[in-house]
Amino acid sequence: VDPKTGQTIPNQTPELSQVFTGWKRAFTERDHMFRRGGVLHDNAAAGNSTILLYKLPNDTRWDNLQVGDKIAIFDTASPFEGSHDEAYVGTINDMAGTPTPPEPHQVALSLVTARGGSTPYTLARAYTASPPAATYYPDFGNASGKSAGVGVVNSNDGLITDTSPYQINGTGSAFYDADMRGIQQPFDDGFVEFIALTDGMGAVPYLPQAWFDTAGTPPYDTPHNYFHLIGCTSYSQFTGTSNPAFDWSYILQQTIEQGAGTLLEKQNVTRAVTDHELAHQFDLNFCTDLPNCGIPPPATWKQHDYRGWWNYGGTGCPPWANPCLMDPAGGNPTDAVNRFCKEDLILGDPNSASPCADEQGYTYGQRDTNVRTCRDPR
């Protein structure tokens, strides 16, 4: 209806060109892990001046706290980014010789108002711990828990001074972070854009290497439309790990920093691992004809391949001078070049007949997937 005349405008169907989607957009929630801290073993009530932390199942210290550290106490109801308590560590008692059957000992922290002081700090809020699972590690999936933990915001030794979420693994940083600052290089080639909003970005409690080696990582199965990217500590086997069924990726930043190389090389590795793990979220294919080169069957390399990146390719058998980002080693991770092969990026594996729309019941080697056309989060 014409708003001026009130007359009905005749239907007109202009000729339209076909609709093309120029860019694919993926959203990422980023979390970072405190470099020092621990996880509450028991609930802490408002007014408490002592809190109890988990120890490992072998009764050794899980936390890496020191007397005099300034710590934040937080859980999912009172997150670090919101209202929470902060205090100094007065004393640390690992409760040696005082077991509380059937559980191993815990670590008791006394809270004080000043570094080196003795005036008790009383909690203004209550914090809910996640209860032990069968393995004695905390069950973060238990509905009664709220993942209560502590994190060092200013360390007694002066090594931690900065809690800015924009300070990524630099001097004084309180967190282990993934690094998406080079994300455009590999994904722009396939017209794929990653958006990582600061809203929802949060800190999580410190977890030691034993958690990743033994207890594993908790699934994240709540329906959502974003990938979940977490910078964290160490894993004995990898510098990164992902579960595309649950849309989470862990970047083992402490493992990267403990490796050989210059500071710049380690920064490059962090970015390469971040790009590599986010690519796993698209259930990427791998080259099914590589056994012809004497390379082991697909079950041993899962969603990796040994191709060269798209601008180089190559004939014959690998290794290539310029490997794809999805090489098991992440290409050449210490340099600043992170590129996909054309099959991972756009084409899919030409030797696989399985459609990328097959989302259920697949096994490795049965998919023809690539970043551009396949799978966003549920």
Side-chain angles (χ1 to χ4, degrees), residues 285-336:
N285 69 89
F286 51 85
C287 189
T288 55
D289 66 357
L290 282 176
N292 295 328
C293 292
I295 292 175
T300 64
W301 17 289
K302 299 183 178 179
Q303 292 172 284
H304 297 106
D305 63 56
Y306 294 81
R307 304 178 181 103
W309 65 267
W310 64 265
N311 197 41
Y312 284 83
T315 59
C317 292
W320 312 113
N322 299 279
C324 168
L325 182 63
M326 299 316 293
D327 182 274
N332 293 320
T334 58
D335 67 17

Side-chain angles (χ1 to χ4, degrees), residues 7-246:
Q7 300 297 314
T8 300
I9 300 174
N11 289 331
Q12 297 185 17
T13 306
E15 293 185 3
L16 300 175
S17 64
Q18 185 176 355
V19 176
F20 292 92
T21 300
W23 284 85
K24 178 186 180 79
R25 176 172 288 180
F27 289 89
T28 305
E29 177 187 331
R30 294 171 294 164
D31 288 336
H32 43 208
M33 181 172 288
F34 273 102
R35 289 174 174 259
R36 303 230 317 249
V39 173
L40 266 66
H41 182 276
D42 288 5
N43 295 341
N48 282 9
S49 294
T50 299
I51 56 177
L52 295 175
L53 305 182
Y54 271 95
K55 295 183 76 174
L56 294 173
N58 65 4
D59 204 26
T60 60
R61 289 270 297 274
W62 167 326
D63 70 279
N64 55 2
L65 299 169
Q66 299 174 4
V67 171
D69 285 341
K70 185 179 183 181
I71 59 173
I73 306 95
F74 61 99
D75 63 11
T76 57
S78 299
F80 175 70
E81 295 71 31
S83 298
H84 63 275
D85 284 89
E86 293 191 3
Y88 291 87
V89 177
T91 60
I92 300 176
N93 178 6
D94 69 3
M95 301 176 71
T98 55
T100 53
E103 298 172 348
H105 308 175
Q106 293 113 42
V107 176
L109 301 183
S110 70
L111 305 178
V112 293
T113 58
R115 179 171 289 145
S118 58
T119 302
Y121 176 90
T122 57
L123 294 175
R125 299 165 185 82
Y127 300 91
T128 305
S130 292
T135 59
Y136 186 71
Y137 290 99
D139 181 0
F140 292 122
N142 190 295
S144 67
K146 297 186 183 300
S147 304
V150 302
V152 174
V153 297
N154 190 286
S155 63
N156 188 59
D157 57 19
L159 297 180
I160 293 176
T161 58
D162 193 340
T163 59
S164 169
Y166 306 105
Q167 208 276 60
I168 301 178
N169 302 316
T171 302
S173 176
F175 308 112
Y176 291 116
D177 275 287
D179 190 345
M180 292 181 62
R181 289 178 292 181
I183 200 74
Q184 297 89 350
Q185 182 184 134
F187 289 97
D188 276 8
D189 290 341
F191 307 103
V192 175
E193 178 185 26
F194 272 84
I195 303 296
L197 302 176
T198 55
D199 289 345
M201 184 178 180
V204 298
Y206 168 85
L207 299 178
Q209 179 176 312
W211 165 265
F212 296 97
D213 285 351
T214 306
T217 53
Y220 190 83
D221 200 20
T222 302
H224 52 276
N225 65 343
Y226 56 87
F227 300 128
H228 195 195
L229 179 66
I230 307 170
C232 50
T233 52
S234 298
Y235 186 30
S236 61
Q237 299 184 51
F238 309 114
T239 53
T241 183
S242 297
N243 188 333
F246 297 105

